[in-house]
Structures are given as C-alpha cells and as structure tokens.
Amino acid sequence: MAKGHRSQIKRERNAQKDTRPSATLSYARVSVQKACFVLDAIRGKDLQTALGIVTYNPRYASSLIKKLLESAAANAENNNNMDPAKLYVEECYANQGPTMKRVRPRAQGRAYRIEKRMSHITVVLNER
C-alpha cells in the first residue's frame, strides 16, 4: 500500500528532480575515450571559455560537444531563467553506448573484428 495519494507521490518525485540545465547526446559515433579528452578540458570552466576551447579544438568530438554546450545554455536561459554570463560547466561526462561489430578481411582467409564504438555524452551547467 502506498504512503500517500497518487498526486502527492508525484509532487514529491518532482520536487526531488534535478533542476540544473543539461543537454544529452545519445548514440554519438565517437568513443568514450576520445570524447573524454575534450570533456576534461572544459570541466569546471565558465561557458564562454568552454565554448572557445571546443571551437578551436581540432578533435571531432569537440564539434558535437559545442552543440551540446549551446543547447544546455539555451535550456538554462529559456527554461530556468538563468543569466548566460554566470553559467559554468558543472558536470560533463561520457558513458559507453552500444558497439557496432564489423568484420575486416585479412590474409590467408582470416578475418579481424572491427568495433565501432558509440557514447552517450551529457553536459550539466550551473550558475556561479
């Protein structure tokens, strides 16, 4: 038996939700290891500095993370009424997604397995 009415339970669950603005990219065709190089560079930085870092970073993951940062900033401004000048990257991480398995032919009838990895990238902002 529940400890309260259904609407009361929903209210309590919504009160516990994280209200920090965030953006998530699922099934990005970049490995976690390669995405983390860029994420480690922007973690803890303010939004403008982080956008500058990913804009001039030559890695492929930086273009994906730049879109994520811009999306999270728009979420903060429109949904949470936060000032974009005060935002900073509080959390950013990449989790492993599914792996596409492919086969590459090799000499003498052998075959090597190629693993094309994916990741789920999340960026969370907050106000100073």
Side-chain angles (χ1 to χ4, degrees), residues 5 26-27 30 57 68 72 85 89 91 94 96 99 118 123 128:
H5 194 265
S26 297
Y27 305 104
V30 63
N57 195 327
L68 268 179
V89 181
E91 287 180 31
Q96 187 171 354
T99 303
M118 291 185 215
V123 174
R128 288 207 192 268

Side-chain angles (χ1 to χ4, degrees), residues 93-126:
Y93 51 89
N95 295 326
Q96 187 171 354
T99 303
M100 293 191 294
K101 284 124 183 137
R102 300 292 182 260
V103 176
R104 189 94 180 169
R106 286 293 172 219
Q108 298 180 1
R110 294 183 177 89
Y112 283 177
R113 191 176 189 180
I114 304 294
E115 293 184 341
K116 299 186 173 195
R117 300 182 185 275
M118 291 185 215
S119 58
H120 307 305
I121 305 170
T122 304
V123 174
V124 179
L125 303 178
N126 209 348

Side-chain angles (χ1 to χ4, degrees), residues 38-58:
V38 181
L39 293 174
D40 290 341
I42 65 168
R43 189 174 291 117
K45 304 276 195 305
D46 63 285
L47 182 63
Q48 294 305 318
T49 306
L51 282 171
I53 290 171
V54 296
T55 300
Y56 296 106
N57 195 327

